Amino acid sequence: MPRIRASYFDPEGDRYGIPTFWWQGAPDGYATRRQLTARGLRPGGQPIAAQILWRGVGGTRVAYLYRLDLARPKRTATPAQRRAISAALRARRTCPTCGQVRGYYIPHSLGECLDCHDGRPGR
């Protein structure tokens, strides 16, 4: 085992406080948040079960692991939540000056659509 891998291998958690593994060295039964999301799961309030450490840009990098057997299914948005999200996104595309709904988000730096900012009338 290379020296770097050996320094990050602590399956009992004596050195780092929680079980620690090297990059791609975690046993089955653990997953990162992204891996849980890809499987349609979420941590579900469980504490961090282990970590992966590796040398990266700027020093030692860390990825936290959660137990798969304690993960819960992802929650889906209710119809009311979907309507609220849709209304909020539509409001970001509505120009406050001309009132037209654009196909892009209104830039915060301009405060109005590009046509209104350029002084041209809306389409």
Side-chain angles (χ1 to χ4, degrees), residues 3-74:
R3 201 174 54 220
I4 293 171
R5 284 188 177 179
S7 67
Y8 293 146
F9 187 68
D10 180 24
E12 285 78 37
D14 297 332
R15 186 181 320 146
Y16 297 104
I18 60 174
T20 303
F21 305 98
W22 62 80
W23 178 256
Q24 297 181 345
D28 293 335
Y30 292 106
T32 63
R33 279 186 180 269
R34 285 190 179 191
Q35 291 169 337
L36 289 175
T37 300
R39 293 180 181 202
L41 300 172
R42 62 186 171 96
Q46 66 173 298
I48 295 169
Q51 65 183 354
I52 295 175
L53 294 178
W54 72 96
R55 286 179 50 182
V57 177
T60 301
R61 306 290 305 263
V62 63
Y64 297 116
L65 301 172
Y66 300 91
R67 290 179 40 186
L68 284 172
D69 59 340
L70 298 178
R72 295 185 175 167
K74 286 179 68 173

Side-chain angles (χ1 to χ4, degrees), residues 55-114:
R55 286 179 50 182
V57 177
T60 301
R61 306 290 305 263
V62 63
Y64 297 116
L65 301 172
Y66 300 91
R67 290 179 40 186
L68 284 172
D69 59 340
L70 298 178
R72 295 185 175 167
K74 286 179 68 173
R75 295 180 292 197
T76 58
T78 65
Q81 289 172 328
R82 290 179 190 256
R83 284 192 302 273
I85 291 169
S86 177
L89 293 177
R90 187 172 40 257
R92 290 182 62 190
R93 294 185 293 120
T94 304
C95 177
T97 305
C98 65
Q100 290 189 7
V101 178
R102 299 295 179 170
Y104 55 89
Y105 294 131
I106 306 299
H108 288 286
S109 60
L110 303 179
E112 56 189 2
C113 69
L114 300 177

